Amino acid sequence: MRKTTIILLPLLFFLQLSIAQSQIGKEKLKEFRKNPKWKEMMNDPNTNFNETKIAFEEFWKGKPNPLELMEGEEEALEELKERSFISKLFKSNRALKKESLQYTEDFKRFKFWQSQSESFVKSDGRVMTEDEIQEMARQEMQRRQETKK
């Protein structure tokens, strides 16, 4: 039973994520690419985790990872070099790097929020509240005590 659960949970998560992407309209995706909506979304307790993750990924699509830029990692620098001529016409590598670095703190906060919240995403995509997490922990402790008897 546990092996099945271990296999099915990631599969269901990715299925849910792909469904969420298909439900998000093209206009909304364009908005996510232009503006860092994920910053507001991760602070909203009623936000949908999957939509927030998509907003983050869309915003960073084609932009170098600011953490890698700060560390001078080759991957981020290669991304800048591999950009097409047309994309360089709209925004220089220097401007893109500056923009990416400006969001470093928010990038870190999002990654932390994502890792903390991932385990507490409900089937509808909402993140559990503190009260719901405490109730779940209480029920789990009660269940464990009952199985020990």
Side-chain angles (χ1 to χ4, degrees):
M1 179 67 177
R2 283 185 180 244
K3 289 180 182 177
T4 308
T5 304
I6 291 170
I7 293 170
L8 286 178
L9 281 176
L11 183 64
L12 288 173
F13 179 75
F14 288 113
L15 179 63
Q16 185 178 9
L17 189 60
S18 65
I19 290 171
Q21 275 183 327
S22 64
Q23 290 175 346
I24 296 174
K26 288 183 179 182
E27 290 301 315
K28 207 168 197 180
L29 289 176
K30 283 182 184 178
E31 180 67 24
F32 289 161
R33 278 186 214 111
K34 291 178 183 177
N35 300 311
K37 293 288 186 189
W38 49 271
K39 288 171 50 176
E40 300 162 15
M41 295 169 78
M42 72 177 174
N43 294 320
D44 180 0
N46 298 317
T47 194
N48 183 296
F49 177 83
N50 300 322
E51 189 172 336
T52 306
K53 187 175 175 182
I54 291 168
F56 177 82
E57 290 168 354
E58 286 297 315
F59 179 79
W60 287 102
K61 210 178 258 185
K63 294 180 181 126
N65 179 327
L67 302 179
E68 291 175 357
L69 278 175
M70 287 176 61
E71 294 172 6
E73 290 189 23
E74 291 299 316
E75 279 182 36
L77 299 173
E78 284 299 316
E79 277 183 41
L80 288 173
K81 289 177 187 173
E82 293 177 3
R83 293 176 57 222
S84 71
F85 177 74
I86 294 172
S87 68
K88 288 178 184 178
L89 281 175
F90 288 106
K91 195 174 280 189
S92 70
N93 284 351
R94 173 182 257 155
L96 191 60
K97 186 176 177 180
K98 184 178 179 183
E99 181 185 20
S100 291
L101 290 174
Q102 138 190 355
Y103 291 110
T104 303
E105 187 69 30
D106 297 317
F107 187 95
K108 288 179 185 178
R109 280 189 35 241
F110 177 84
K111 288 297 188 177
F112 180 77
W113 173 83
Q114 181 183 14
S115 68
Q116 296 298 306
S117 302
E118 235 167 3
S119 302
F120 302 107
V121 177
K122 294 177 152 186
S123 60
D124 65 355
R126 282 188 326 105
V127 179
M128 290 181 177
T129 64
E130 286 295 320
D131 292 339
E132 291 171 323
I133 293 169
Q134 288 177 356
E135 178 62 24
M136 182 182 71
R138 188 191 63 73
Q139 288 175 356
E140 180 62 22
M141 287 177 64
Q142 185 178 19
R143 186 189 65 77
R144 288 183 183 186
Q145 287 175 351
E146 289 173 359
T147 57
K148 284 183 181 179
K149 292 179 183 179

